[in-house]
């Protein structure tokens, strides 16, 4: 039986961040509400020189070698904050990374669920074409608006997953449960660059979807909580996943409860310092777990709950592969976090308000102050101008 799964996993967040306690002070909110009640310490802030395309391309840059670039014949870009209603963000990334031209490149959308849909599509493609590799991207900039209740759950960043046969990091098991229901808990009409959310309803639906897919998964597979070393969640903010985990912890022994709680904490470290990155959030959590947990053995089963408002949810699982740790980039990610620059609240607000022209005006952006290799350098004739500084 062909094993298919995650061969490589890359991550990128912009070089700026806002301290949540400082945001709280400026919004007259008790800082504990953000750091404990919501569970966020820092929020990644994207400068105007980063968008969904560049964030994804930077995430992919850290994992792909020349052989991968030749073998990738499918780029699937999951995003809900793409830059064009027509052209797929995958085509830009395909060019920026110099991938084999004999490839497909598309964009998929279903709120934060897009990258999961991409991974499942990739799995089917590899099953039919075992020698190929698929690049799945999840990249977003979460914007609710200044002084909104969603503000504390903003963020920016991207993940890049190389899906292949005989993967080095994790095989994806075949059994999964998915669920769709038309709900207005969070949406973004095409005329708005900020999301609308019914916060309370979105929390309720997240929990209801988790309960539905978890119960159905157990009924379908005969699996139980003790079969899992950890469960990773889509994390709009780190308290959200914990609320869901708490509802099922009682199904396990004390040991199982301790293991899942400890690993949950490890799976939230990166997200706590980045914020909601929508499509990439679940995979950032998986990365955090694998890079931060010290005693997560190969062979461990990891559960994953993907939720995209609107809404689609899925529960699926993967098995960690022998020596998976050797295929991670722990030091690189430690450097990425350590080298970030803090912005003040007024600086963050100014960056938030800075938008690109929508009337065809040409604009050249200063990319010298953005340490990312791949940046948005400007807009000419309504066309975004991307630069890969390594070329
Ligand atoms: P809010 O309504 O201002 O916050 O915004 P709250 O009053 O509900 O408080 C939040 C928590 O902080 C509560 O804890 C308070 O008790 C606690 P809980 O009852 O939930 O356990 N708290 C404190 N804790 C310690 N010390 C204090 C203190 N004060 C209060 N002093 C909300 C919260 C999440 C609603 C808002 O930020 C929002 O609307 N965010 C956007 C929507 C969202 O993230 N929804 C999550 C589920 S939907 C989803 O995940 C999909 C999504 O990613 C989009 C997609 O799919 O594309 C969003």
């Amino acid at each position: 039986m062909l094993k298919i799964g995650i061969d490589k996993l890359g991550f990128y967040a912009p070089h700026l961040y806002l301290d949540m306690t400082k945001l709280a002070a400026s919004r007259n909110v008790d800082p504990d509400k953000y750091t404990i009640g919501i569970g966020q310490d820092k929020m990644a802030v994207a400068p105007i020189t980063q968008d969904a395309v560049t964030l994804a391309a930077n995430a992919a840059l850290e994992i792909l070698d020349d052989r991968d670039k030749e073998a990738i014949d499918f780029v699937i870009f999951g995003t809900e904050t793409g830059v064009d209603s027509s052209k797929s963000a995958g085509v830009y990334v395909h060019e920026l990374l110099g991938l084999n031209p004999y490839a497909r490149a598309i964009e998929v959308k279903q709120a934060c669920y897009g990258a999961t849909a991409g991974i499942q599509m990739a799995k089917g493609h590899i099953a039919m074409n075992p020698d190929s590799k698929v690049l799945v991207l999840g990249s977003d900039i979460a914007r609710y608006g200044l002084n909104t209740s969603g503000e504390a759950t903003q963020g920016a960043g991207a993940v890049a997953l190389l899906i292949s046969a005989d993967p080095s990091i994790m095989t994806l098991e075949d059994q999964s449960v998915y669920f769709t229901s038309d709900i207005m808990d969070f949406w973004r009409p095409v005329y708005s660059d900020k999301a609308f959310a019914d916060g309370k309803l979105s929390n309720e639906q997240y929990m209801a979807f988790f309960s539905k897919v978890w119960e159905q998964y157990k009924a379908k597979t005969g699996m139980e909580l003790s079969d899992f070393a950890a469960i990773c969640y889509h994390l709009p903010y780190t308290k959200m996943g914990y609320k869901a985990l708490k509802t099922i912890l009682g199904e396990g022994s004390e040991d199982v409860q301790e293991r899942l709680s400890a690993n949950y904490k490890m799976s939230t470290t990166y997200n706590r310092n980045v914020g909601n990155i929508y499509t990439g959030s679940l995979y950032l959590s998986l990365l955090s777990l694998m890079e931060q947990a010290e005693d997560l053995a190969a062979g461990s089963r990891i559960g994953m709950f993907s939720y995209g408002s609107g809404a689609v949810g899925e529960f699926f699982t993967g098995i960690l592969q022998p020596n998976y740790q050797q295929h991670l980039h722990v030091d690189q990610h430690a450097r990425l976090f350590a080298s970030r620059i803090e912005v003040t609240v007024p600086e963050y607000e100014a960056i938030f308000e800075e938008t690109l022209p929508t009337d065809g005006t040409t604009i050249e952006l200063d990319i010298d102050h953005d340490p990312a290799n791949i940046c948005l350098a400007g807009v000419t004739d309504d066309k975004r101008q991307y630069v890969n500084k390594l070329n």
Side-chain angles (χ1 to χ4, degrees), residues 30 33 37 80 111-112 149 153 202-203 234 236 239 243 276 309:
D30 181 345
K33 174 172 174 183
E80 55 174 300
C112 300
S149 70
T153 63
S202 72
N203 285 359
H234 164 57
K239 177 84 167 288
K243 286 192 206 184
N276 193 355
S309 283

Side-chain angles (χ1 to χ4, degrees), residues 51 83-84 87 92 356-365 375-387:
D51 62 18
V83 299
D84 196 295
K87 178 169 174 168
Y92 291 109
L356 294 169
T358 53
D359 60 357
T361 311
T362 292
I363 183 170
E364 233 178 87
L365 301 173
C375 294
L376 175 66
V379 185
T380 309
D381 297 334
D382 293 303
K383 294 171 199 151
R384 287 185 186 228
Q385 308 296 318
Y386 292 110
V387 169

